[in-house]
Amino acid sequence: DIVMTQTPLSSPVTLGQPASISCRSSESLLNSGGNTYLGWLQQRPGHPPRLLIYKISNRFSGVPDRFSGSGAGTDFTLKISRVEAEDVGVYYCMQATQFPYTFGQGTRLEIK
Amino acid sequence: EVQLVESGGGLVKPGGSLRLSCAASGFTFSSAWMSWARQVPGRGLEWVGRIKSSTAGGTTQYAAPVKGRFTISRDDSKSMLYLQMDSLKTEDTAVYYCTIQGWDSLPPLDSWGRGTLVTVSS
């Protein structure tokens, strides 16, 4: 199985300041068709996960443009340009290139 | 609007069985590859398994911890997804989510239900 490793595991951020989360996969997520199925999920307290970013850098429907994704191969990053109070929660990277799909351990975003 | 609503969770003894259901709406269910994932309360996410659309063969794939014990099935006529869980273990205790990922669809599709809690305990 592909192992997904996130850093940091906890990120205290001041409101209005940027935040960044890294994710590394144990093998390349680029498939033979030229696609990289790397996504970022947000899970607010008491809620199910919600997709923010798919295929590295595509914002899903309804996701604010302060969220952005980048990377290639085995190294990926989620950035929040200006953190808002509603962004508090746990963020997971997820790979859907190879079954079983696997997730990072999660990064807890909290407000300082 | 895409909706996935799970049901069937509850308390079961080790070695017992439980069947979860997921009612889907808001998209063409018969064309969708559907999955189940789970999350131990307060912990991370784990994929359980998936079932391809009937037109793609309807085949299933399972994660190693549940292979041979869990069975995913679907009823396209009712837009329903099922997870039959047998020989349950205490480590199967988790919130179970019905989910869909259609990142290549136009428009792209992704949704998670609110989950149903399964507790395996004597």
Side-chain angles (χ1 to χ4, degrees):
Chain A
D1 297 359
I2 296 177
V3 177
M4 307 295 286
T5 304
Q6 286 180 231
T7 54
L9 298 184
S10 178
S11 179
V13 182
T14 302
L15 286 174
Q17 293 301 302
S20 179
I21 301 170
S22 296
C23 176
R24 176 167 289 177
S25 56
S26 59
E27 54 189 273
S28 176
L29 300 184
L30 178 65
N31 74 358
S32 57
N35 288 306
T36 301
Y37 293 95
L38 183 283
W40 289 95
L41 307 175
Q42 175 196 62
Q43 188 172 29
R44 291 173 173 149
H47 290 265
R50 162 201 178 200
L51 182 69
L52 298 175
I53 302 288
Y54 65 100
K55 293 202 290 186
I56 302 178
S57 58
N58 296 276
R59 263 189 307 277
F60 191 60
S61 174
V63 175
D65 60 8
R66 64 179 181 275
F67 291 93
S68 64
S70 62
T74 61
D75 289 282
F76 307 94
T77 302
L78 173 71
K79 291 184 179 177
I80 309 173
S81 59
R82 294 173 305 280
V83 170
E84 299 188 5
E86 66 179 20
D87 299 336
V88 166
V90 181
Y91 291 78
Y92 297 92
C93 61
M94 165 193 163
Q95 69 82 18
T97 291
Q98 180 185 114
F99 196 84
Y101 302 162
T102 48
F103 302 88
Q105 317 96 298
T107 296
R108 187 170 300 277
L109 185 75
E110 52 194 28
I111 305 301
K112 279 184 187 173
Chain B
E1 181 195 0
V2 174
Q3 279 206 324
L4 301 171
V5 180
E6 303 92 340
S7 61
L11 175 64
V12 60
K13 288 182 167 50
S17 297
L18 206 58
R19 188 197 197 202
L20 306 183
S21 301
C22 171
S25 61
F27 63 99
T28 305
F29 182 79
S30 58
S31 303
W33 294 28
M34 300 296 299
S35 294
W36 288 95
R38 66 185 181 182
Q39 183 174 37
V40 175
R43 304 288 295 277
L45 295 160
E46 179 184 29
W47 218 266
V48 171
R50 74 175 179 188
I51 185 166
K52 296 182 180 180
S53 64
S54 301
T55 52
T59 53
T60 52
Q61 292 171 285
Y62 300 95
V66 307
K67 196 170 185 179
R69 300 187 298 120
F70 288 14
T71 304
I72 298 174
S73 62
R74 62 192 299 156
D75 184 338
D76 289 346
S77 68
K78 297 179 180 177
S79 295
M80 293 292 295
L81 180 72
Y82 303 101
L83 178 64
Q84 177 67 41
M85 303 185 293
D86 299 319
S87 304
L88 282 160
K89 306 176 181 181
T90 54
E91 52 264 40
D92 295 319
T93 294
V95 174
Y96 284 75
Y97 296 105
C98 171
T99 180
I100 177 174
Q101 280 67 41
W103 296 356
D104 290 327
S105 302
L106 289 174
L109 186 58
D110 193 283
S111 187
W112 295 64
R114 294 199 62 82
T116 187
L117 176 62
V118 172
T119 303
V120 184
S121 174
S122 53

mmCIF file of all heavy atoms in Angstrom, chain A residues 37-39 41 43 46-49 51 54-55 60 92 94 96 99 101 103, chain B residues 39 43-47 49-50 61-62 97 101 103-104 108 110 112-114:
data_model
loop_
_atom_site.group_PDB
_atom_site.id
_atom_site.type_symbol
_atom_site.label_atom_id
_atom_site.label_comp_id
_atom_site.label_asym_id
_atom_site.label_seq_id
_atom_site.Cartn_x
_atom_site.Cartn_y
_atom_site.Cartn_z
ATOM 1 N N TYR A 37 -3.626 11.297 -8.878
ATOM 2 C CA TYR A 37 -4.846 11.361 -8.081
ATOM 3 C C TYR A 37 -4.509 11.629 -6.607
ATOM 4 O O TYR A 37 -4.603 10.756 -5.744
ATOM 5 C CB TYR A 37 -5.654 10.072 -8.261
ATOM 6 C CG TYR A 37 -6.201 9.941 -9.666
ATOM 7 C CD1 TYR A 37 -5.502 9.214 -10.628
ATOM 8 C CD2 TYR A 37 -7.377 10.577 -10.034
ATOM 9 C CE1 TYR A 37 -5.980 9.126 -11.926
ATOM 10 C CE2 TYR A 37 -7.865 10.492 -11.332
ATOM 11 C CZ TYR A 37 -7.153 9.761 -12.279
ATOM 12 O OH TYR A 37 -7.618 9.681 -13.567
ATOM 13 N N LEU A 38 -4.169 12.878 -6.366
ATOM 14 C CA LEU A 38 -3.869 13.337 -5.025
ATOM 15 C C LEU A 38 -4.913 14.374 -4.637
ATOM 16 O O LEU A 38 -5.134 15.349 -5.379
ATOM 17 C CB LEU A 38 -2.460 13.951 -4.968
ATOM 18 C CG LEU A 38 -1.884 14.452 -3.636
ATOM 19 C CD1 LEU A 38 -2.435 15.793 -3.198
ATOM 20 C CD2 LEU A 38 -2.063 13.419 -2.506
ATOM 21 N N GLY A 39 -5.554 14.159 -3.505
ATOM 22 C CA GLY A 39 -6.577 15.084 -3.058
ATOM 23 C C GLY A 39 -6.323 15.553 -1.638
ATOM 24 O O GLY A 39 -5.523 14.960 -0.889
ATOM 25 N N LEU A 41 -8.552 16.723 1.826
ATOM 26 C CA LEU A 41 -9.859 16.719 2.480
ATOM 27 C C LEU A 41 -9.798 17.565 3.746
ATOM 28 O O LEU A 41 -8.765 17.621 4.412
ATOM 29 C CB LEU A 41 -10.264 15.297 2.874
ATOM 30 C CG LEU A 41 -10.233 14.221 1.791
ATOM 31 C CD1 LEU A 41 -10.535 12.864 2.391
ATOM 32 C CD2 LEU A 41 -11.214 14.544 0.695
ATOM 33 N N GLN A 43 -11.849 18.059 7.441
ATOM 34 C CA GLN A 43 -12.861 17.514 8.335
ATOM 35 C C GLN A 43 -13.035 18.444 9.521
ATOM 36 O O GLN A 43 -12.175 18.519 10.402
ATOM 37 C CB GLN A 43 -12.505 16.097 8.804
ATOM 38 C CG GLN A 43 -13.640 15.432 9.575
ATOM 39 C CD GLN A 43 -13.381 13.972 9.872
ATOM 40 O OE1 GLN A 43 -12.248 13.535 10.013
ATOM 41 N NE2 GLN A 43 -14.453 13.188 9.968
ATOM 42 N N GLY A 46 -17.019 17.157 14.212
ATOM 43 C CA GLY A 46 -18.384 16.646 14.163
ATOM 44 C C GLY A 46 -18.959 16.488 12.773
ATOM 45 O O GLY A 46 -20.153 16.201 12.621
ATOM 46 N N HIS A 47 -18.129 16.638 11.748
ATOM 47 C CA HIS A 47 -18.602 16.538 10.373
ATOM 48 C C HIS A 47 -17.823 15.470 9.608
ATOM 49 O O HIS A 47 -16.696 15.121 9.985
ATOM 50 C CB HIS A 47 -18.452 17.891 9.663
ATOM 51 C CG HIS A 47 -19.400 18.929 10.152
ATOM 52 N ND1 HIS A 47 -20.608 19.177 9.541
ATOM 53 C CD2 HIS A 47 -19.335 19.764 11.206
ATOM 54 C CE1 HIS A 47 -21.238 20.134 10.187
ATOM 55 N NE2 HIS A 47 -20.486 20.511 11.204
ATOM 56 N N PRO A 48 -18.406 14.985 8.506
ATOM 57 C CA PRO A 48 -17.653 14.044 7.664
ATOM 58 C C PRO A 48 -16.591 14.786 6.869
ATOM 59 O O PRO A 48 -16.610 16.022 6.794
ATOM 60 C CB PRO A 48 -18.736 13.472 6.733
ATOM 61 C CG PRO A 48 -19.761 14.560 6.649
ATOM 62 C CD PRO A 48 -19.768 15.218 7.990
ATOM 63 N N PRO A 49 -15.665 14.047 6.272
ATOM 64 C CA PRO A 49 -14.676 14.704 5.419
ATOM 65 C C PRO A 49 -15.347 15.378 4.226
ATOM 66 O O PRO A 49 -16.424 14.967 3.776
ATOM 67 C CB PRO A 49 -13.785 13.541 4.959
ATOM 68 C CG PRO A 49 -14.012 12.464 5.953
ATOM 69 C CD PRO A 49 -15.431 12.608 6.386
ATOM 70 N N LEU A 51 -14.139 17.145 0.354
ATOM 71 C CA LEU A 51 -13.049 17.347 -0.594
ATOM 72 C C LEU A 51 -12.814 18.827 -0.853
ATOM 73 O O LEU A 51 -13.745 19.582 -1.141
ATOM 74 C CB LEU A 51 -13.370 16.637 -1.915
ATOM 75 C CG LEU A 51 -12.292 16.726 -2.990
ATOM 76 C CD1 LEU A 51 -11.060 15.904 -2.588
ATOM 77 C CD2 LEU A 51 -12.829 16.245 -4.341
ATOM 78 N N TYR A 54 -8.656 18.290 -5.714
ATOM 79 C CA TYR A 54 -8.476 16.981 -6.344
ATOM 80 C C TYR A 54 -7.440 17.089 -7.465
ATOM 81 O O TYR A 54 -7.248 18.166 -8.038
ATOM 82 C CB TYR A 54 -9.805 16.424 -6.863
ATOM 83 C CG TYR A 54 -10.427 17.231 -7.989
ATOM 84 C CD1 TYR A 54 -10.294 16.835 -9.317
ATOM 85 C CD2 TYR A 54 -11.166 18.381 -7.711
ATOM 86 C CE1 TYR A 54 -10.859 17.567 -10.340
ATOM 87 C CE2 TYR A 54 -11.732 19.126 -8.733
ATOM 88 C CZ TYR A 54 -11.582 18.716 -10.045
ATOM 89 O OH TYR A 54 -12.144 19.440 -11.063
ATOM 90 N N LYS A 55 -6.803 15.980 -7.766
ATOM 91 C CA LYS A 55 -5.748 15.903 -8.789
ATOM 92 C C LYS A 55 -4.759 17.051 -8.630
ATOM 93 O O LYS A 55 -4.526 17.839 -9.559
ATOM 94 C CB LYS A 55 -6.376 15.843 -10.184
ATOM 95 C CG LYS A 55 -7.147 14.546 -10.392
ATOM 96 C CD LYS A 55 -7.348 14.141 -11.835
ATOM 97 C CE LYS A 55 -8.282 14.978 -12.599
ATOM 98 N NZ LYS A 55 -8.559 14.465 -13.961
ATOM 99 N N PHE A 60 -12.337 21.921 -5.669
ATOM 100 C CA PHE A 60 -13.642 21.306 -5.864
ATOM 101 C C PHE A 60 -14.718 22.384 -5.778
ATOM 102 O O PHE A 60 -14.486 23.496 -5.274
ATOM 103 C CB PHE A 60 -13.864 20.215 -4.813
ATOM 104 C CG PHE A 60 -15.057 19.340 -5.076
ATOM 105 C CD1 PHE A 60 -15.141 18.593 -6.245
ATOM 106 C CD2 PHE A 60 -16.096 19.255 -4.160
ATOM 107 C CE1 PHE A 60 -16.239 17.773 -6.490
ATOM 108 C CE2 PHE A 60 -17.202 18.448 -4.401
ATOM 109 C CZ PHE A 60 -17.271 17.711 -5.573
ATOM 110 N N TYR A 92 -6.559 16.177 5.633
ATOM 111 C CA TYR A 92 -5.961 14.913 5.196
ATOM 112 C C TYR A 92 -5.579 14.992 3.719
ATOM 113 O O TYR A 92 -6.372 15.472 2.901
ATOM 114 C CB TYR A 92 -6.945 13.758 5.349
ATOM 115 C CG TYR A 92 -7.402 13.450 6.750
ATOM 116 C CD1 TYR A 92 -8.558 14.024 7.275
ATOM 117 C CD2 TYR A 92 -6.684 12.564 7.555
ATOM 118 C CE1 TYR A 92 -8.983 13.727 8.556
ATOM 119 C CE2 TYR A 92 -7.113 12.264 8.847
ATOM 120 C CZ TYR A 92 -8.255 12.850 9.329
ATOM 121 O OH TYR A 92 -8.672 12.548 10.606
ATOM 122 N N MET A 94 -4.889 12.534 0.486
ATOM 123 C CA MET A 94 -5.428 11.229 0.119
ATOM 124 C C MET A 94 -4.944 10.880 -1.289
ATOM 125 O O MET A 94 -4.926 11.745 -2.163
ATOM 126 C CB MET A 94 -6.953 11.309 0.115
ATOM 127 C CG MET A 94 -7.660 10.168 -0.565
ATOM 128 S SD MET A 94 -9.391 10.590 -0.811
ATOM 129 C CE MET A 94 -9.828 9.350 -2.038
ATOM 130 N N ALA A 96 -5.643 8.457 -4.607
ATOM 131 C CA ALA A 96 -6.608 7.584 -5.277
ATOM 132 C C ALA A 96 -6.007 7.046 -6.584
ATOM 133 O O ALA A 96 -6.735 6.701 -7.506
ATOM 134 C CB ALA A 96 -7.898 8.339 -5.546
ATOM 135 N N PHE A 99 -5.311 1.322 -5.586
ATOM 136 C CA PHE A 99 -6.145 0.777 -4.528
ATOM 137 C C PHE A 99 -5.298 -0.119 -3.627
ATOM 138 O O PHE A 99 -4.474 -0.883 -4.133
ATOM 139 C CB PHE A 99 -7.302 -0.028 -5.112
ATOM 140 C CG PHE A 99 -8.376 -0.280 -4.102
ATOM 141 C CD1 PHE A 99 -9.350 0.665 -3.855
ATOM 142 C CD2 PHE A 99 -8.374 -1.445 -3.355
ATOM 143 C CE1 PHE A 99 -10.320 0.467 -2.895
ATOM 144 C CE2 PHE A 99 -9.332 -1.671 -2.373
ATOM 145 C CZ PHE A 99 -10.319 -0.704 -2.165
ATOM 146 N N TYR A 101 -7.028 3.059 -1.656
ATOM 147 C CA TYR A 101 -6.768 4.467 -1.437
ATOM 148 C C TYR A 101 -6.231 4.619 -0.016
ATOM 149 O O TYR A 101 -6.630 3.888 0.893
ATOM 150 C CB TYR A 101 -8.038 5.289 -1.583
ATOM 151 C CG TYR A 101 -8.735 5.167 -2.923
ATOM 152 C CD1 TYR A 101 -10.053 5.552 -3.062
ATOM 153 C CD2 TYR A 101 -8.078 4.664 -4.046
ATOM 154 C CE1 TYR A 101 -10.719 5.457 -4.277
ATOM 155 C CE2 TYR A 101 -8.727 4.563 -5.261
ATOM 156 C CZ TYR A 101 -10.050 4.956 -5.371
ATOM 157 O OH TYR A 101 -10.701 4.857 -6.567
ATOM 158 N N PHE A 103 -4.634 7.482 3.144
ATOM 159 C CA PHE A 103 -4.690 8.839 3.670
ATOM 160 C C PHE A 103 -3.450 9.154 4.492
ATOM 161 O O PHE A 103 -2.828 8.257 5.070
ATOM 162 C CB PHE A 103 -5.897 8.995 4.593
ATOM 163 C CG PHE A 103 -7.218 8.697 3.956
ATOM 164 C CD1 PHE A 103 -7.713 7.407 3.948
ATOM 165 C CD2 PHE A 103 -7.982 9.701 3.392
ATOM 166 C CE1 PHE A 103 -8.939 7.114 3.365
ATOM 167 C CE2 PHE A 103 -9.211 9.431 2.814
ATOM 168 C CZ PHE A 103 -9.686 8.130 2.805
ATOM 169 N N GLN B 39 -13.621 5.359 10.058
ATOM 170 C CA GLN B 39 -12.803 6.220 10.915
ATOM 171 C C GLN B 39 -13.076 5.873 12.369
ATOM 172 O O GLN B 39 -14.213 6.025 12.840
ATOM 173 C CB GLN B 39 -13.136 7.689 10.652
ATOM 174 C CG GLN B 39 -12.292 8.683 11.426
ATOM 175 C CD GLN B 39 -12.585 10.112 11.008
ATOM 176 O OE1 GLN B 39 -13.729 10.472 10.724
ATOM 177 N NE2 GLN B 39 -11.543 10.941 10.968
ATOM 178 N N ARG B 43 -9.675 9.338 15.395
ATOM 179 C CA ARG B 43 -8.493 8.868 14.669
ATOM 180 C C ARG B 43 -8.628 9.170 13.177
ATOM 181 O O ARG B 43 -9.531 9.877 12.747
ATOM 182 C CB ARG B 43 -8.343 7.354 14.896
ATOM 183 C CG ARG B 43 -8.279 6.933 16.346
ATOM 184 C CD ARG B 43 -6.963 7.311 16.988
ATOM 185 N NE ARG B 43 -5.832 6.614 16.423
ATOM 186 C CZ ARG B 43 -5.449 5.387 16.777
ATOM 187 N NH1 ARG B 43 -6.122 4.728 17.715
ATOM 188 N NH2 ARG B 43 -4.406 4.824 16.218
ATOM 189 N N GLY B 44 -7.709 8.621 12.412
ATOM 190 C CA GLY B 44 -7.660 8.908 10.977
ATOM 191 C C GLY B 44 -8.618 8.066 10.154
ATOM 192 O O GLY B 44 -9.406 7.285 10.664
ATOM 193 N N LEU B 45 -8.517 8.255 8.830
ATOM 194 C CA LEU B 45 -9.419 7.619 7.864
ATOM 195 C C LEU B 45 -8.787 6.368 7.267
ATOM 196 O O LEU B 45 -7.573 6.311 7.053
ATOM 197 C CB LEU B 45 -9.744 8.609 6.753
ATOM 198 C CG LEU B 45 -10.544 9.847 7.183
ATOM 199 C CD1 LEU B 45 -10.390 10.964 6.163
ATOM 200 C CD2 LEU B 45 -12.000 9.479 7.364
ATOM 201 N N GLU B 46 -9.629 5.394 6.960
ATOM 202 C CA GLU B 46 -9.150 4.138 6.360
ATOM 203 C C GLU B 46 -10.144 3.683 5.299
ATOM 204 O O GLU B 46 -11.356 3.667 5.557
ATOM 205 C CB GLU B 46 -9.019 3.054 7.437
ATOM 206 C CG GLU B 46 -8.549 1.710 6.911
ATOM 207 C CD GLU B 46 -8.528 0.626 7.972
ATOM 208 O OE1 GLU B 46 -9.330 0.704 8.918
ATOM 209 O OE2 GLU B 46 -7.723 -0.320 7.851
ATOM 210 N N TRP B 47 -9.624 3.336 4.126
ATOM 211 C CA TRP B 47 -10.496 2.832 3.078
ATOM 212 C C TRP B 47 -10.885 1.392 3.386
ATOM 213 O O TRP B 47 -10.057 0.604 3.844
ATOM 214 C CB TRP B 47 -9.790 2.879 1.722
ATOM 215 C CG TRP B 47 -10.747 3.275 0.664
ATOM 216 C CD1 TRP B 47 -11.476 2.476 -0.154
ATOM 217 C CD2 TRP B 47 -11.130 4.608 0.354
ATOM 218 N NE1 TRP B 47 -12.286 3.227 -0.948
ATOM 219 C CE2 TRP B 47 -12.100 4.540 -0.663
ATOM 220 C CE3 TRP B 47 -10.755 5.859 0.846
ATOM 221 C CZ2 TRP B 47 -12.690 5.673 -1.196
ATOM 222 C CZ3 TRP B 47 -11.341 6.977 0.318
ATOM 223 C CH2 TRP B 47 -12.294 6.893 -0.691
ATOM 224 N N GLY B 49 -13.334 -0.495 1.103
ATOM 225 C CA GLY B 49 -13.474 -1.199 -0.167
ATOM 226 C C GLY B 49 -14.297 -0.398 -1.150
ATOM 227 O O GLY B 49 -14.846 0.648 -0.809
ATOM 228 N N ARG B 50 -14.374 -0.885 -2.370
ATOM 229 C CA ARG B 50 -15.144 -0.191 -3.395
ATOM 230 C C ARG B 50 -15.782 -1.196 -4.335
ATOM 231 O O ARG B 50 -15.344 -2.360 -4.422
ATOM 232 C CB ARG B 50 -14.276 0.782 -4.192
ATOM 233 C CG ARG B 50 -13.336 0.124 -5.181
ATOM 234 C CD ARG B 50 -12.586 1.148 -6.033
ATOM 235 N NE ARG B 50 -11.679 0.502 -6.963
ATOM 236 C CZ ARG B 50 -10.791 1.121 -7.711
ATOM 237 N NH1 ARG B 50 -10.694 2.455 -7.635
ATOM 238 N NH2 ARG B 50 -9.997 0.471 -8.525
ATOM 239 N N GLN B 61 -13.292 -4.544 -4.589
ATOM 240 C CA GLN B 61 -11.936 -4.611 -4.053
ATOM 241 C C GLN B 61 -12.009 -4.230 -2.573
ATOM 242 O O GLN B 61 -12.805 -3.358 -2.208
ATOM 243 C CB GLN B 61 -11.001 -3.646 -4.792
ATOM 244 C CG GLN B 61 -10.743 -4.022 -6.228
ATOM 245 C CD GLN B 61 -9.990 -2.926 -6.953
ATOM 246 O OE1 GLN B 61 -10.556 -1.899 -7.304
ATOM 247 N NE2 GLN B 61 -8.708 -3.141 -7.174
ATOM 248 N N TYR B 62 -11.161 -4.874 -1.758
ATOM 249 C CA TYR B 62 -11.219 -4.661 -0.320
ATOM 250 C C TYR B 62 -9.834 -4.396 0.245
ATOM 251 O O TYR B 62 -8.833 -4.899 -0.243
ATOM 252 C CB TYR B 62 -11.817 -5.893 0.369
ATOM 253 C CG TYR B 62 -13.219 -6.208 -0.093
ATOM 254 C CD1 TYR B 62 -13.432 -7.133 -1.118
ATOM 255 C CD2 TYR B 62 -14.319 -5.581 0.473
ATOM 256 C CE1 TYR B 62 -14.715 -7.415 -1.565
ATOM 257 C CE2 TYR B 62 -15.613 -5.859 0.036
ATOM 258 C CZ TYR B 62 -15.793 -6.769 -0.992
ATOM 259 O OH TYR B 62 -17.064 -7.041 -1.432
ATOM 260 N N TYR B 97 -18.378 5.402 6.551
ATOM 261 C CA TYR B 97 -18.852 6.381 5.579
ATOM 262 C C TYR B 97 -19.069 5.740 4.215
ATOM 263 O O TYR B 97 -18.219 4.980 3.739
ATOM 264 C CB TYR B 97 -17.829 7.505 5.393
ATOM 265 C CG TYR B 97 -17.578 8.362 6.610
ATOM 266 C CD1 TYR B 97 -16.419 8.217 7.354
ATOM 267 C CD2 TYR B 97 -18.486 9.342 6.987
ATOM 268 C CE1 TYR B 97 -16.161 9.028 8.462
ATOM 269 C CE2 TYR B 97 -18.249 10.149 8.090
ATOM 270 C CZ TYR B 97 -17.086 9.985 8.820
ATOM 271 O OH TYR B 97 -16.843 10.784 9.910
ATOM 272 N N GLN B 101 -16.013 8.965 -5.325
ATOM 273 C CA GLN B 101 -14.986 9.811 -5.917
ATOM 274 C C GLN B 101 -15.057 9.675 -7.437
ATOM 275 O O GLN B 101 -14.785 8.590 -7.954
ATOM 276 C CB GLN B 101 -13.577 9.405 -5.462
ATOM 277 C CG GLN B 101 -13.168 9.915 -4.096
ATOM 278 C CD GLN B 101 -13.978 9.308 -2.991
ATOM 279 O OE1 GLN B 101 -14.249 8.107 -3.027
ATOM 280 N NE2 GLN B 101 -14.384 10.085 -2.013
ATOM 281 N N TRP B 103 -13.394 11.931 -9.790
ATOM 282 C CA TRP B 103 -12.585 13.110 -10.078
ATOM 283 C C TRP B 103 -12.397 13.340 -11.578
ATOM 284 O O TRP B 103 -11.991 14.421 -11.985
ATOM 285 C CB TRP B 103 -11.229 12.999 -9.386
ATOM 286 C CG TRP B 103 -11.334 12.970 -7.890
ATOM 287 C CD1 TRP B 103 -12.479 13.112 -7.135
ATOM 288 C CD2 TRP B 103 -10.273 12.771 -6.959
ATOM 289 N NE1 TRP B 103 -12.181 13.007 -5.804
ATOM 290 C CE2 TRP B 103 -10.841 12.810 -5.656
ATOM 291 C CE3 TRP B 103 -8.897 12.596 -7.095
ATOM 292 C CZ2 TRP B 103 -10.067 12.652 -4.508
ATOM 293 C CZ3 TRP B 103 -8.124 12.459 -5.950
ATOM 294 C CH2 TRP B 103 -8.710 12.482 -4.679
ATOM 295 N N ASP B 104 -12.666 12.344 -12.391
ATOM 296 C CA ASP B 104 -12.553 12.504 -13.845
ATOM 297 C C ASP B 104 -13.901 12.779 -14.496
ATOM 298 O O ASP B 104 -13.988 12.949 -15.707
ATOM 299 C CB ASP B 104 -11.922 11.258 -14.482
ATOM 300 C CG ASP B 104 -10.455 11.124 -14.127
ATOM 301 O OD1 ASP B 104 -9.777 12.159 -13.979
ATOM 302 O OD2 ASP B 104 -9.988 9.980 -13.986
ATOM 303 N N PRO B 108 -16.739 17.155 -11.932
ATOM 304 C CA PRO B 108 -16.170 16.194 -10.996
ATOM 305 C C PRO B 108 -17.114 15.953 -9.829
ATOM 306 O O PRO B 108 -17.884 16.827 -9.428
ATOM 307 C CB PRO B 108 -14.853 16.843 -10.551
ATOM 308 C CG PRO B 108 -15.012 18.273 -10.884
ATOM 309 C CD PRO B 108 -15.926 18.359 -12.059
ATOM 310 N N ASP B 110 -17.605 14.211 -5.869
ATOM 311 C CA ASP B 110 -17.021 13.699 -4.632
ATOM 312 C C ASP B 110 -17.990 14.004 -3.510
ATOM 313 O O ASP B 110 -18.469 15.134 -3.390
ATOM 314 C CB ASP B 110 -15.661 14.352 -4.339
ATOM 315 C CG ASP B 110 -14.904 13.612 -3.241
ATOM 316 O OD1 ASP B 110 -15.245 13.772 -2.054
ATOM 317 O OD2 ASP B 110 -13.962 12.860 -3.582
ATOM 318 N N TRP B 112 -19.304 12.529 0.682
ATOM 319 C CA TRP B 112 -19.253 11.620 1.820
ATOM 320 C C TRP B 112 -20.566 11.733 2.589
ATOM 321 O O TRP B 112 -21.061 12.833 2.809
ATOM 322 C CB TRP B 112 -18.091 11.996 2.748
ATOM 323 C CG TRP B 112 -16.741 11.843 2.150
ATOM 324 C CD1 TRP B 112 -16.229 12.539 1.085
ATOM 325 C CD2 TRP B 112 -15.724 10.933 2.559
ATOM 326 N NE1 TRP B 112 -14.952 12.119 0.826
ATOM 327 C CE2 TRP B 112 -14.617 11.143 1.712
ATOM 328 C CE3 TRP B 112 -15.633 9.972 3.567
ATOM 329 C CZ2 TRP B 112 -13.428 10.401 1.841
ATOM 330 C CZ3 TRP B 112 -14.459 9.255 3.699
ATOM 331 C CH2 TRP B 112 -13.370 9.469 2.837
ATOM 332 N N GLY B 113 -21.106 10.591 3.014
ATOM 333 C CA GLY B 113 -22.260 10.633 3.882
ATOM 334 C C GLY B 113 -21.868 11.101 5.272
ATOM 335 O O GLY B 113 -20.682 11.335 5.561
ATOM 336 N N ARG B 114 -22.825 11.220 6.157
ATOM 337 C CA ARG B 114 -22.543 11.665 7.518
ATOM 338 C C ARG B 114 -21.990 10.534 8.391
ATOM 339 O O ARG B 114 -21.455 10.786 9.464
ATOM 340 C CB ARG B 114 -23.797 12.246 8.155
ATOM 341 C CG ARG B 114 -24.273 13.517 7.479
ATOM 342 C CD ARG B 114 -25.204 14.306 8.370
ATOM 343 N NE ARG B 114 -24.550 14.741 9.591
ATOM 344 C CZ ARG B 114 -23.787 15.808 9.704
ATOM 345 N NH1 ARG B 114 -23.558 16.569 8.649
ATOM 346 N NH2 ARG B 114 -23.233 16.144 10.863
#
